[in-house]
Amino acid sequence: MNRSIINKALRPFGTTIFTEINAIAKTYNAVNLSQGAPDFDGPDYIKAKAAECIMRGPNQYIASEGIVELRRAIAHKMKRFYDVDVDTEKEITVTSGATEGLYATMMGILEPGDEVILLEPFYDTYPPVAALANANVRYVTLRGPQFELPEKELAAAFSPKTRAIVINNPQNPCGKVFTREELAYIGFLCEKYDAFAIGDEVYEHLVFDGKNHVTLMSIPELRERAFVISSTAKTFSMTGWKIGYVLASPELTKAVRMSHQFITFCGQSALQEAMAFAIDLPDTFYTELLDTYNRKRMFLFEGLKEAGLNVYLPEGAYYVMADIRSLGFEEDSTFCRMLPEKAGVAAIPASYFWKDRTMGKEYVRFCFCKTDETLKEGILRLKRFFE
Ligand SMILES: Cc1ncc(COP(=O)(O)O)c(C=O)c1O
């Protein structure tokens, strides 16, 4: 066959760094602190609910936008945590994880030649999805260690061609939590240029140190311009269930549903029912989740510091960024490809979250969504190796 098989838009991306590092980790039986999936499951009573729903049935296709019980629970949650009113019928679309939510949204609104602004470091799904929609990406860099929003550069990136900006809040990989002022400024620019804001808020319940998550839905300038995407994966430690959703005003929701119906048509009935039950859990579930993750955050942060790495305390999500120059290393990829074999630990080279990979090459991302035993063993091995 003379023609290339892979779609031209996808060719630059190759296999993800997560797949590659996971394979190396497996080869050396390393403690895997790379991919953001817990090595423990969410509560058994949520699983029992799903099992009960499967046994009771029906197990057939459901409404494309998701079962009403789950949409109701999501609307209730938005009121309960953020005092935002969301219409169960017209403003919520359940998707196969946030990943499909992002895809359905971008495919629903982008046309060839449209510009999408991405803040880097970015979650790795955004550029290929924009490429599949034939949109052009403009990158605006958040610089460590504080990763503040560079307002002037952001304003310069907006133009009449801008169709959307993607904001990951709290942010993976750097743990940044956007302030209301920063989001309001983004809202101001979106209004000025008649653009949409796509919020990826999958870590919304992991915001530390008494700070509050600010959803794009609560920014007045963005209420009618935002697509807020979230997921049950991180909050309920069931990443394999792939239950996410998109919140948007009725007109915007039409665009999401239009593409969603041709991507997966609908999600998984029993798992959606179990997640409706989970989202409605009392506040104690959410506070305990935050307490547990805060303990893990501090443990990994202190441990990496004691191992000799220069680390930054994240404000949100479940990752810690470490600067490897403090240990005499220069380049994250070489470091992360060596680490599983030499130290028995796996982490992600953070430059993969930048377009210009020279930008993040001093950073390595470790995740703390792991059992205490895994984290202890990981830190022990790192200390032993760096000594
Ligand atoms: C920022 C961000 N968005 C989206 C996802 C994917 O979410 P889901 O598993 O619900 O598709 C992840 C998973 O790591 C993530 O970190």
Side-chain angles (χ1 to χ4, degrees), residues 184-218:
Y185 185 66
I186 291 172
F188 158 75
L189 291 172
C190 285
E191 249 187 354
K192 183 170 172 191
Y193 291 96
D194 194 18
F196 298 115
I198 302 173
D200 177 349
E201 303 185 1
V202 302
Y203 298 102
E204 62 185 302
H205 294 294
L206 298 178
V207 175
F208 304 105
D209 303 325
K211 291 205 173 83
N212 289 321
H213 171 68
V214 181
T215 174
L216 291 190
M217 295 303 265
S218 70

Side-chain angles (χ1 to χ4, degrees), residues 97-99 123 126 168 172 200 202-203 231 233-234 239 242 319:
T99 309
Y123 179 59
Y126 311 151
N168 179 201
N172 172 10
D200 177 349
V202 302
Y203 298 102
S231 171
K234 315 291 179 177
T239 56
K242 298 300 286 186
Y319 309 96

Side-chain angles (χ1 to χ4, degrees), residues 80 132 135 138 190 247 330:
R80 170 182 169 195
L132 280 168
R138 301 218 32 181
C190 285
L247 312 176
E330 291 292 321

Side-chain angles (χ1 to χ4, degrees), residues 186-308:
I186 291 172
F188 158 75
L189 291 172
C190 285
E191 249 187 354
K192 183 170 172 191
Y193 291 96
D194 194 18
F196 298 115
I198 302 173
D200 177 349
E201 303 185 1
V202 302
Y203 298 102
E204 62 185 302
H205 294 294
L206 298 178
V207 175
F208 304 105
D209 303 325
K211 291 205 173 83
N212 289 321
H213 171 68
V214 181
T215 174
L216 291 190
M217 295 303 265
S218 70
I219 304 294
E221 295 87 341
L222 293 176
R223 181 60 182 83
E224 304 298 315
R225 297 182 171 274
F227 296 87
V228 166
I229 293 157
S230 194
S231 171
T232 58
K234 315 291 179 177
T235 307
F236 300 102
S237 308
M238 304 286 199
T239 56
W241 284 20
K242 298 300 286 186
I243 310 260
Y245 51 89
V246 185
L247 312 176
S249 66
E251 282 307 305
L252 274 55
T253 289
K254 279 185 198 156
V256 176
R257 290 185 181 177
M258 190 75 87
S259 61
H260 165 69
Q261 66 182 336
F262 298 122
I263 302 170
T264 54
F265 181 71
C266 71
Q268 311 78 359
S269 55
L271 301 185
Q272 288 195 11
E273 211 174 319
M275 275 308 166
F277 160 76
I279 289 172
D280 276 341
L281 284 169
D283 288 355
T284 46
F285 172 85
Y286 292 89
T287 48
E288 276 166 25
L289 176 86
L290 192 61
D291 287 349
T292 304
Y293 270 121
N294 187 38
R295 206 172 29 73
K296 291 180 189 295
R297 172 181 75 135
M298 295 316 294
F299 181 82
L300 185 65
F301 173 74
E302 295 297 343
L304 292 174
K305 222 162 53 172
E306 285 163 19

